[in-house]
Amino acid sequence: MLEKFLKPYDAAAVEPAIYKMWDESGFFNPDKLPPRLDAQGKPAERTEQFSIIMPPPNANGSLHAGHALFVTLQDIMIRFERMRGKKTLWYPGADHAGFETQVVYEKKLEKEGRSRFEMSREQLYKEILDFTLANKSFMEGQLRQLGASCDWSRELFTLDERVVKTVYATFKKLSDDGLLYRGSRIVNWCPKHQTSLSNLETNRTPRTDAFYYFKYGPFTIGTARPETKFGDKYVVMHPADPRYVAYTEGQQIDLEWINGPITATVLKDEAIDMEFGTGVMTITPWHDQTDFEIAKRHNLPLEQVIDWRGKLLPIAGEFAGMSIKDARPKIVEKLKAKDLLVKIDEAYVHEVPVCYKCEREIEPQIKAQWFVAMQTLADRAKEAVQKKEVTILTEQHEKIMLHWLENIQDWNISRQIAWGIPIPAKLCEKCNDGFIDMDDSKTACPTCGGPVVADPDTFDTWFSSGQWPFATLGYPDSADFKTFYPTSVMETGADILFFWVARMLMLGLYVTGKVPFKDVYLHGLVRDAHGKKMSKSKGNVISPLEISNEYGTDALRMGLIVGNTPGTDLNLDPKKINAYKKFANKIWNITRFVLESTQDAPATATLTEQDAAHLAAFRALSQDITKDIEEYRLYMAAEKLYHYLWDAFASTLLEESKPILKGEDTAAKASRQVLLRDILLDSLKLLHPFMPFVTEEIWQSIGTPQNLLMVEHWPVK
RNA sequence: GCGCGGUUAGCUCAGUUGGUAGAGCAUCCCCUUGACGUGGGGAGGGCCAGGGGUUCGAGUCCCUUACCGCGCACCA
C-alpha cells in the first residue's frame, strides 16, 4: 500500500511533474509514438492518422475560459485517438492577431500616455513584436498547465516565414485567377483606429437620434446626418413615385442651401424607398454605400466631406475642422436661421455600424483597397458543405454557414495597421494603380511608368489565418501535408464561424483543392455561473488558471465538458468544478480501496457468474462511451464515467464486495479481486482523456506495465 | 426586413435514433459502518412555456401562439 493514497489527492502537487513526464516522453509528436501491439502481441506501425490544428491563441494576453474549453475538447479527442492507436498530431500555434493585438497594444500605450501616431511604423512594429513574443511564451506555459498534449516541436507562429510565403503565394494565385482586385470602394473606416475593417469587424447597434427634415428647393429631404450634406448637388427620387412625376431626370433647380445658393440636379433611381421619409433624398457618395452605388450608376463626381479623423473638410466652409458632434447642432441651427428647417423627429431609431473593438461609429469612406472576389470561393465551399465533404456540428451552424455563404460579399483584405503581414504590392504615385510585386523588384508602374512606393498596408489577419491548416502542414510538398491533410477535426468557437471557419474552408478548397478538415466541432461561449457574459468591466471573469490552481486541471476540464453540448453556451460555476475536484479524490480513494483489497489477488481467476455479469455490464458501458466520443458526445461520455465510477462502482460494487473480500469463499474472493482490479485499470484508461492528470498519477503509482497511461491501449476495440 | 435558436426540479443546465424525466448546487432527515466527512444512506421538489396535430406511445416529430436570445442586412 502506497503512502500517498493515505492522504487526499493533491492536484497542484502532481500535475506539473506529470506534464513534464508526458512532454519528455516525446509521445506528443506523432513521429515518436511507440508502436502498437497487434493481436499476436507483436509491435505494429500506426497506420491511421488523426489530426487537429489548434486554433492558435492570440499571443496578446492570458488564456481565458474559452481557451480552456478548446484545450479540453481537443485534448480529449487527441488522447482518445492516440490510445486507440492512431498516429495523432495536434498542431499548436500562436497568433499575432493583427488588429486585435494592435488594439491591445494601443490601449497599453494610452495608459502610458503615448500614442501610436507619435511613433514610426517600424518602432511600433518592433514594440508589438517584443510584447507578443513575451506573451507567447507565457501563453504556452498556460496551455501546458491545462494539459494540452500537442506537439510543441512543430509549433508555428503566424508571422513565421513559412506562413508569409504561403500567404503571398495565395495572394498571387488569387490575382492570377482574376479573383483579386484593387478598387476604390466604400470601406468601413474606424476614425479612432485609422484603418478600414471588413463587414465582419463592424457591429450594428441600435441608437435613437434626431431625424431632420430640410427644405431643398421645392423638396423636403430627410436626413440623420446634416453634416454630410455640404456637397449634395443631386436630389434623387423613385422613378415611379407619383408625387414627383413633374420632375424629370437631369432637370436643374437653383436653390438656397447651407452655405449659399447651389444648382441641384434631379435624378431618378429605384434604390429610393418611397415609403421612407419624404421619398426624396440628396446623396453623399463618399460617405454612404447606397449613395455611392447611385453615384456609380449615374456617373456622378465623388467628393470627400469628412476627413479620416472624423472632422469636416473645407467643403463645409465655416464648419471646416469641426468634429461631427460639434458641427451637427450648429449646422441645424444655421439651416433653421435660413428658414430651411421643416421639422425634427427626435425619436428616430436606427442601427448604426460601429467598430467592434472601440464601438466608435464607423465612417464610411472611399478608399483604394485590395478586395477578394468571393463568389467563386463561396460557391465551392457551399458545395462541400452540401455534399458532406465537411460535416458541421451542429446542423444549426451548418444552416448559418450556408446562409452566410449564399450572401457572401467581397472581402476587403487591406488594413492600415503596422502589426501584420505586409501586402507584397506597390502603388503608383502618378496613376494611383496598385500592382503585385512578389520579389520587391519593380521600380516603375507597369501601367503608366510612374514612380512607385511599397503598399504600406498589411493583410487582414483572417486572410492569413484562413490559410492556417495548409500553411502549418507545409503545403504542397511536406510529409506532414501528405500525411495529415485534410485534418480530422476543426474544433473552435462558434463565434468565429465566418471569420475563420468559413475562410479556411474557402481558401483551403481554393488552394489545395481539398477541404482543410472533415469535421467541424463548434463550441459556444463560456459564461459565468449565472449565464452572464464574462467581462472585465463586470468583474465576473473566471480565470481558468486560477481555477486550475485551486481545484486541479482535471476538475476544471470535467466542469467544462459535462453538460456542454456542441454549439451551445456553457455556464462555468466554481461549485460545479468543486464537485469534480471531489470526484478526483473519489477515484483516488477507490484506488486505495482496490489496492488494499487486492494485495493478495491472483493474476487471473475464473469469474463467478455474478462477476461475469458485472464485467459484461462494464464492457457494454465502455462501448457506449467509446461510441459517444467517436460521435462527439463528449459531455455524455464524461457524465457516464462519472456515474459509473461513483454510483455503480464505488457505492454499489465496492460496498457489495466488502463481505465477499472478507468471506471464506476463496474462489469468490479471487474472482472479485480480479474483477475490481481489472475494472479499475480499464476505467482509468477510459477516464484518461477527460482527467489525464489524476489517472496518469494513479497509473504511475500502481504501475502494472511501466508505460505511460497516455499511450496505453484503449480498452475497447 | 431575412435567417437561426431557446423555453425541462428553487438556481444553472443535460436528456444521443420517440418507449411514462436526470446532474451539479441548494433544501430536509439519518449515519464517526476503516476506501473516501472533499464522505455514506435516504427524502422532498417538474400537467418537460400555452394550444393543436401525427403515433399504440412525444420533453423528443409536425403546425401554431407567447416570451427570451442570437446571427445577417446599403433604408437616406
Side-chain angles (χ1 to χ4, degrees), chain A residues 170 197-201 372 374 377-378 381 401 404-405 408-413 415 460-470 485 495-511 514 516-517:
Chain A
T170 302
L197 299 169
S198 70
N199 293 344
L200 286 178
E201 288 159 321
V372 179
M374 298 305 286
L377 301 189
M401 170 83 106
W404 189 75
L405 289 171
I408 195 91
Q409 297 177 352
D410 285 356
W411 180 11
N412 170 10
I413 55 171
R415 293 293 174 278
D460 179 354
T461 316
W462 298 105
F463 181 67
S464 49
S465 307
Q467 303 173 50
W468 192 238
F470 58 88
Y485 193 92
D495 55 333
I496 52 173
L497 181 63
F498 308 143
F499 274 112
W500 200 40
V501 181
R503 267 90 174 254
M504 283 191 287
L505 186 58
M506 290 187 287
L507 290 169
L509 283 164
Y510 172 63
V511 173
K514 288 183 198 162
F517 29 72

Side-chain angles (χ1 to χ4, degrees), chain A residues 649-667:
Chain A
F649 192 68
S651 298
T652 311
L653 192 58
L654 292 193
E655 292 304 326
E656 178 196 299
S657 297
K658 287 174 185 174
I660 299 173
L661 295 166
K662 279 188 212 156
E664 301 296 316
D665 185 342
T666 52

Side-chain angles (χ1 to χ4, degrees), chain A residues 300-369:
Chain A
L300 308 180
L302 310 168
E303 191 165 13
Q304 189 172 10
V305 180
I306 295 160
D307 76 5
W308 304 104
R309 301 242 169 221
K311 299 222 158 103
L312 296 183
L313 286 162
I315 187 176
E318 66 190 88
F319 304 100
M322 293 171 89
S323 71
I324 292 166
K325 189 166 157 276
D326 293 342
R328 190 180 292 178
K330 295 200 171 83
I331 295 163
V332 174
E333 199 49 47
K334 183 169 180 187
L335 284 161
K336 191 180 173 190
K338 296 177 85 165
D339 202 26
L340 293 175
L341 177 65
V342 179
K343 62 171 178 174
I344 304 175
D345 173 5
E346 294 286 355
Y348 172 58
V349 180
H350 61 155
E351 290 196 324
V352 296
V354 295
C355 169
Y356 82 123
K357 277 288 142 194
C358 66
E359 309 216 312
R360 265 199 52 179
E361 219 173 294
I362 289 295
E363 183 59 63
Q365 295 270 14
I366 295 177
K367 195 163 177 61
Q369 303 277 276

Side-chain angles (χ1 to χ4, degrees), chain A residues 101-159:
Chain A
T101 301
Q102 180 154 328
V103 168
V104 168
Y105 199 76
E106 279 180 37
K107 277 188 189 153
K108 186 170 174 286
L109 286 173
E110 260 175 49
K111 275 189 196 151
E112 295 165 4
R114 301 161 70 205
S115 162
R116 97 183 221 212
F117 302 112
E118 291 160 2
M119 55 211 290
S120 71
R121 260 184 114 76
E122 292 69 28
Q123 177 64 19
L124 180 65
Y125 187 94
K126 193 190 166 301
E127 285 194 24
I128 299 181
L129 181 63
D130 291 345
F131 169 78
T132 303
L133 292 180
N135 269 309
K136 180 172 165 288
S137 62
F138 188 57
M139 172 207 90
E140 288 156 5
Q142 296 182 331
L143 287 174
R144 289 183 163 88
Q145 185 179 339
L146 297 172
S149 63
C150 52
D151 181 12
W152 293 107
S153 73
R154 280 174 163 87
E155 195 195 8
L156 196 66
F157 181 48
T158 55
L159 290 181

